[in-house]
Amino acid sequence: EVQLVESGGGLVQPGGSLRLSCAASGFTFSRYDMHWVRQAPGKGLEWVSVIGTTGDTYYPVSVKGRFTISRENAKNSLYLQMNNLRAGDTAVYYCAREGTCSSVSCPLDYWGQGILVTVSS
Amino acid sequence: DIQMTQSPSTLPASVGDRVTITCRASQSISSWLAWYQQKPGKAPKLLISKASNLESGVPSRFSGSGSATEFTLTISSLQPDDFATYYCQQYHSPPWTFGQGTKVEI
């Protein structure tokens, strides 16, 4: 059974840093692209970052230069280092697995339960 | 960036209704569109990929159609378990983008 379990969330002051982790199990982690997606309270879904199997990464403008996604295949773990946090980064953060399909990119077929990050003084 | 626009934002409905949600892309995304269902306090669940491919285990009352810039998600006969928020997402090119969501409510 595929499982994704996020940890590391909590309350942080504006300008602070936080590192999220996602522990993966039930599949060969190294063979899949992995994503972070966030959801502000009462709002919709916003894609945050992706890391490919070869380590290539992409970010939207909203977090580029502040967030860094990484992975440690030996530990079946995904990470999100978040620096210079702002109130607007307050959200539930989900890690998600990109499935396999006939395209270069594929939908997100498994999601973690999410972890809350609150940026406030 | 490719903008995804869903309509309506809220959809009042009753059990047994046929409901349709529309998703429009700001440029052609071919068929690289997914639909997700999200219930309060839960993670999104993938329902449909490549615009019309039903994921394993998803009830056949769900269907998707469309290509290029216009897509629809249809629930043929709404069941109590279907009251949720639905999101479309393009995976044609980064940054991956979601629609703003459609809440199907009683």
Side-chain angles (χ1 to χ4, degrees), chain A residues 35 37 39 43-47 50 58-61 94 98 101-109 111-114, chain B residues 1 32-34 36 38 41-46 48-50 55 87 89 91-100:
Chain A
H35 295 246
V37 176
Q39 186 169 36
K43 303 298 184 182
L45 301 169
E46 181 187 14
W47 172 75
V50 62
Y58 289 99
Y59 306 91
V61 169
Y94 296 99
E98 183 176 320
C101 65
S102 57
S103 172
V104 173
S105 298
C106 304
L108 305 178
D109 61 355
W111 298 61
Q113 84 285 355
Chain B
D1 297 2
W32 306 122
L33 182 102
Y36 300 86
Q38 187 180 34
K42 301 294 187 181
K45 173 188 174 183
L46 178 62
I48 288 172
S49 61
K50 206 177 179 183
E55 292 297 300
Y87 294 92
Q89 179 225 349
Y91 52 99
H92 175 270
S93 56
W96 288 260
T97 44
F98 293 86
Q100 79 277 19

Side-chain angles (χ1 to χ4, degrees), chain B residues 23-102:
Chain B
C23 178
R24 290 186 172 88
S26 59
Q27 64 189 73
S28 177
I29 58 171
S30 184
S31 295
W32 306 122
L33 182 102
W35 289 97
Y36 300 86
Q37 177 194 64
Q38 187 180 34
K39 296 181 179 179
K42 301 294 187 181
K45 173 188 174 183
L46 178 62
L47 297 177
I48 288 172
S49 61
K50 206 177 179 183
S52 61
N53 292 350
L54 205 64
E55 292 297 300
S56 175
V58 175
S60 59
R61 61 181 179 273
F62 289 91
S63 64
S65 64
S67 65
T69 62
E70 188 145 344
F71 304 86
T72 59
L73 171 70
T74 299
I75 309 172
S76 59
S77 178
L78 200 65
Q79 298 302 300
D81 191 50
D82 302 337
F83 289 95
T85 300
Y86 295 84
Y87 294 92
C88 61
Q89 179 225 349
Q90 67 83 15
Y91 52 99
H92 175 270
S93 56
W96 288 260
T97 44
F98 293 86
Q100 79 277 19
T102 296

Side-chain angles (χ1 to χ4, degrees), chain A residues 1-7 21-30 32-34 36 71-79 95-97 110 112:
Chain A
E1 178 193 7
V2 172
Q3 285 199 328
L4 299 168
V5 180
E6 302 94 340
S7 61
S21 299
C22 173
S25 60
F27 65 103
T28 305
F29 178 74
S30 61
Y32 289 84
D33 294 355
M34 297 296 296
W36 289 98
R71 64 191 300 162
E72 193 168 355
N73 291 336
K75 293 186 175 182
N76 292 332
S77 293
L78 178 72
Y79 306 103
C95 72
R97 188 184 85 168
Y110 285 94

